[in-house]
């Protein structure tokens, strides 16, 4: 007996979701997204502020965007994600619709429903798409995983640590100051 064929979704399916429903698309598979909680949003706000201030203070050319912000990872019809934070340093990738191609730096803040996505599915996808640096911020585990894909290195930190930013030498984020 043949196995049933999985449905392959496209970005067009994402744009036809009912109002208020959010999902991501990875290799044609659709993944529903739950609304974030307060702790998630506090961490997101603190990180966005720190990164944005650093870029502005140093007259940087990169842009930091927060979800919901469309990232078309492979510039095809089968991959669409909304990372919590995306830092894009190539303005040629940016359009009114979002980012075409891999951002330089992505941060995902783990929620109870996103653990498998952030640690497994997105980790592989971001690496293969060409993201230079990927952080997984997990307040439940008091852990920040930093994947430097460009340097092929991985480091683990806690919310008591100052975490260096690979794409910006000399810049670090003090997680001890982030209220969780």
């Amino acid at each position: 007996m043949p196995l049933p064929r999985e449905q392959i979704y496209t970005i067009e399916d994402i744009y036809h979701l009912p109002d208020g429903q959010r999902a991501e698309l990875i290799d044609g598979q659709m993944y529903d997204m739950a609304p974030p909680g307060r702790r998630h949003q506090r961490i997101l706000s603190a990180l966005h502020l720190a990164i944005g201030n650093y870029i502005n203070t140093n007259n940087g050319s990169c842009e930091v965007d927060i979800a919901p912000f469309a990232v078309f990872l492979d510039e095809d019809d089968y991959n669409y994600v909304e990372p919590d934070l995306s830092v894009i340093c190539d303005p040629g990738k940016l359009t009114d619709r979002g980012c075409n191609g891999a951002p330089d730096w992505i941060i995902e803040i783990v929620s109870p429903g996103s653990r498998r996505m952030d640690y497994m599915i997105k980790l592989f996808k971001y690496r293969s798409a060409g993201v230079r640096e990927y952080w997984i911020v997990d307040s439940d585990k008091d852990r920040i995983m930093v994947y430097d894909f460009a340097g092929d290195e991985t480091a683990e930190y806690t919310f008591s640590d100052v975490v260096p930013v690979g794409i910006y030498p000399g810049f670090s984020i003090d997680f001890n100051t982030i209220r969780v």
Side-chain angles (χ1 to χ4, degrees):
M1 182 166 144
L3 294 174
R5 184 173 173 220
E6 288 186 29
Q7 180 165 352
I8 302 297
Y9 294 95
T10 67
I11 291 171
E12 197 63 32
D13 295 309
I14 292 287
Y15 283 112
H16 284 97
L17 289 172
D19 285 344
Q21 184 178 346
R22 290 178 49 213
E24 293 179 303
L25 189 64
I26 298 178
D27 296 328
Q29 297 302 302
M30 193 177 302
Y31 299 91
D32 290 323
M33 299 172 68
R38 267 186 71 226
R39 181 174 10 168
H40 177 283
Q41 293 303 92
R42 281 197 313 265
I43 295 168
L44 177 62
S45 180
L47 291 172
H48 181 251
L49 187 61
I51 296 165
N53 283 342
Y54 179 83
I55 291 170
N56 290 337
T57 300
N58 292 283
N59 297 317
S61 60
C62 299
E63 178 176 305
V64 60
D65 291 289
I66 59 173
F69 177 74
V71 173
F72 306 94
L73 275 177
D74 293 334
E75 299 184 70
D76 63 16
D77 285 340
Y78 306 103
N79 290 281
Y80 167 96
V81 291
E82 293 182 1
D84 290 316
L85 271 163
S86 302
V87 177
I88 301 104
C89 299
D90 177 357
K93 290 182 177 181
L94 295 169
T95 69
D96 286 342
R97 290 183 68 201
C99 176
N100 291 315
D104 295 271
W105 179 20
I106 288 178
I107 299 176
E108 293 286 7
I109 301 162
V110 177
S111 298
S114 74
R115 189 165 304 283
R116 180 176 173 270
M117 283 291 292
D118 296 337
Y119 279 103
M120 295 171 46
I121 296 169
K122 287 184 176 180
L123 174 65
F124 174 77
K125 190 62 189 177
Y126 291 160
R127 180 182 191 115
S128 64
V131 172
R132 291 172 43 204
E133 186 168 350
Y134 174 44
W135 289 18
I136 302 173
V137 177
D138 191 337
S139 62
D140 286 343
K141 293 189 178 209
D142 186 34
R143 176 170 60 195
I144 300 98
M145 295 298 302
V146 174
Y147 297 91
D148 175 358
F149 296 141
D152 203 25
E153 296 177 8
T154 303
E156 183 175 336
Y157 299 91
T158 71
F159 274 76
S160 299
D161 292 324
V162 176
V163 181
V165 176
I167 69 164
Y168 286 120
F171 176 42
S172 57
I173 296 176
D174 184 354
F175 273 81
N176 198 41
T177 64
I178 296 177
R179 195 180 89 213
V180 294

